[in-house]
Amino acid sequence: MTESSKRKPSETAEAAKTAEATPNTEATATAEPAGTTSDATTSDATATAGGVTAPAAAGKAATGKAEATPGAAPRPAPSRRALLGWGGAGLALGAAAAGGTAAALRVGDDASPSASTGDAVPFHGAHQAGISTPVQDRLHFASFDVTTTDRAALIKLLQEWTAAAAAMTAGHEVGAGAISANEELPPDDTGEALGLKPSRLTLTFGVGPGLFEKDGKDRFGLKARRPQALIDLPVFPKDNLDPARSGGDLCVQACADDPQVAVHAIRNLARIAMGRASIRWSQLGFGKTSSTTPDAQTPRNMMGFKDGTRNIAGDDTARLDKHVWVGEKDGPGWMVGGSYLVARRIRMHIETWDRTSLAEQEDVFGRDKSEGAPVGKQREHDEPLLKAMKPDAHVRLAHPDSNNGVTILRRGYSFTDGTDGLGRLDAGLFFIAYQRDVRDGFVPLQTNLARNDALNEYIQHVGSAVFAVPPGVRDKGDWWGKALFA
């Protein structure tokens, strides 16, 4: 047992305070888009894990207040972790070259303001957070295989997951916390997020086709409740899918502005699931490649281009209702207010792209590289003139006008997972899309792109999954997927 694990709770709390190198800004909750309700606070969330049920560290404040200089304009102070990241930027880039996954710390115009890293996003509401929520800068996505055959055990797992998620998104520890009263027992929380702010952590839960039926077997009496929109995705031209990086019975998307907060969340959910579900595959992501914030500059992907400029804004309730949220007439009832998630791991042939002329790169995308403006335009958000682009330009083919109005909400992230053994970077885009119906969203769009997009010369889809994402957890009596099992 380490010395740190033997500390008394009071000593640990004092150590956490001392570890803060800079004052914290006063955090405010990031509101859900208009039309979304939040009818419960998270300060009194109860977490259940490892057989222990206890108030989720209600005495531990999730936010602090910075000291202000008299007469000076308020200026948000960078977090301790942000300062460490800036100071180690050279080391981070070196780690990326050596295969570090979460290597590239984003700073500059596209980076999230440091003041936001202490915020907590409300967990309860009509829709799950992490869909229309302003996009955070880091991702840990995990797909799970359900290993239990006991329906009651699965329900208990989802209840425990929900309680733990409510606690962690509020900045609290799981269950009785990371410092056990009984040193002979493992603590309920793994502890690597002690002293860190919520960092706008959102946890978004979904269920895959395999939960309803697998190998012809109705595993949990749910076969008849599978939504028609939750289809098995077709094989698209040029797909080279790895089964080990595809599919899954359950998924959790963890997004945060601090990578350690996101990783901590998935780690603790996986720990709670032991014996009932196990991680099938997971993906770390850095540098959001899309935005749900109106008029914001679209972040760049690993090819150096802005893509997805016309993404649905998080406060555009009309477009969200039309293209993202499942409606009353869509069915089934347990999915109303939810959405459908498609995840695709897209490998980029970085070395080939880096040896391609700027002119050809811009022709492939249909945008200029410096500003991100469509062909013949001056600014990124200028309305594109599709006919001015080459017929196989990515922007032209992905535009709603080229797809009978198909519109999806994108929440993708860049990734780099070392090398492929041949000296080439294993890097690219972890594409995430939400839509009201996969059959009317991703499938026709990807069919068009897979057949005609000039970008296909430089990319390949190597992982794929689809999940039904239920509506939000309404209050403390609700839990992930409750209506599905009703």
Side-chain angles (χ1 to χ4, degrees), residues 111-458:
S112 299
S114 60
S116 71
T117 60
D119 294 353
V121 178
F123 178 76
H124 298 95
H127 310 294
Q128 289 196 59
I131 302 175
S132 61
T133 308
V135 184
Q136 305 92 320
D137 199 54
R138 302 287 183 152
L139 167 79
H140 192 183
F141 191 101
S143 172
F144 292 80
D145 284 332
V146 174
T147 56
T148 184
T149 58
D150 186 341
R151 178 184 168 111
L154 174 58
I155 290 174
K156 182 65 173 175
L157 168 62
L158 298 183
Q159 292 171 337
E160 293 176 3
W161 266 9
T162 304
M168 289 187 290
T169 55
H172 302 315
E173 298 167 48
V174 174
I179 310 301
S180 301
N182 185 343
E183 293 186 353
E184 302 303 318
L185 296 176
D188 286 347
D189 189 288
T190 54
E192 71 272 24
L194 281 173
L196 302 181
K197 299 302 179 184
S199 299
R200 295 196 299 137
L201 172 67
T202 56
L203 294 170
T204 312
F205 164 81
V207 296
L211 193 71
F212 299 89
E213 182 181 7
K214 202 166 194 175
D215 299 326
K217 183 178 180 180
D218 184 357
R219 303 167 67 192
F220 301 102
L222 299 174
K223 181 178 178 180
R225 311 210 72 187
R226 176 175 175 174
Q228 292 183 0
L230 185 61
I231 63 172
D232 294 312
L233 292 178
V235 177
F236 299 98
K238 301 180 178 64
D239 274 2
N240 185 24
L241 304 181
D242 179 357
R245 290 185 177 272
S246 301
D249 299 331
L250 305 171
C251 78
V252 180
Q253 170 196 283
C255 298
D257 289 321
D258 185 328
Q260 188 148 321
V261 171
V263 170
H264 167 265
I266 295 297
R267 178 183 177 186
N268 279 269
L269 295 180
R271 182 176 182 273
I272 293 169
M274 192 172 297
R276 293 171 288 183
S278 61
I279 290 182
R280 177 181 178 86
W281 56 268
S282 68
Q283 181 66 58
L284 291 173
F286 64 89
K288 59 188 178 185
T289 60
S290 56
S291 173
T292 56
T293 304
D295 301 322
Q297 289 290 310
T298 303
R300 297 179 185 273
N301 58 28
M302 291 288 284
M303 290 177 162
F305 276 79
K306 298 178 180 181
D307 191 22
T309 292
R310 295 177 60 86
N311 203 31
I312 301 173
D315 61 357
D316 191 341
T317 55
R319 294 184 77 201
L320 288 169
D321 289 339
K322 183 177 180 179
H323 300 293
V324 179
W325 307 130
V326 176
E328 294 279 353
K329 297 180 180 180
D330 299 327
W334 67 270
M335 273 295 295
V336 174
S339 190
Y340 292 94
L341 182 161
V342 172
R344 303 280 283 188
R345 189 177 191 270
I346 304 175
R347 171 86 180 270
M348 292 179 176
H349 305 312
I350 296 295
E351 291 75 16
T352 304
W353 179 258
D354 290 346
R355 288 162 176 78
T356 301
S357 70
L358 175 60
E360 183 174 344
Q361 289 183 359
E362 292 183 334
D363 283 344
V364 166
F365 271 97
R367 293 185 180 278
D368 72 64
K369 197 168 189 176
S370 62
E371 173 61 25
V375 171
K377 300 293 184 176
Q378 300 298 316
R379 294 174 295 277
E380 176 195 346
H381 292 282
D382 287 347
E383 189 67 25
L385 180 60
L386 301 185
K387 292 183 179 180
M389 303 175 188
K390 289 186 176 296
D392 58 358
H394 178 72
V395 169
R396 179 171 182 170
L397 292 174
H399 195 280
D401 290 351
S402 300
N403 296 280
N404 298 315
V406 169
T407 304
I408 58 177
L409 187 153
R410 299 176 50 158
R411 284 188 70 98
Y413 287 82
S414 294
F415 72 84
T416 175
D417 290 336
T419 62
D420 62 0
L422 298 174
R424 299 173 300 194
L425 282 175
D426 181 5
L429 168 68
F430 189 70
F431 174 90
I432 300 173
Y434 288 93
Q435 59 254 281
R436 184 171 175 173
D437 192 318
V438 175
R439 298 167 297 179
D440 300 328
F442 178 78
V443 170
L445 176 59
Q446 180 57 23
T447 299
N448 186 23
L449 291 173
R451 289 174 178 169
N452 306 303
D453 194 354
L455 192 57
N456 291 331
E457 182 178 349
Y458 304 97

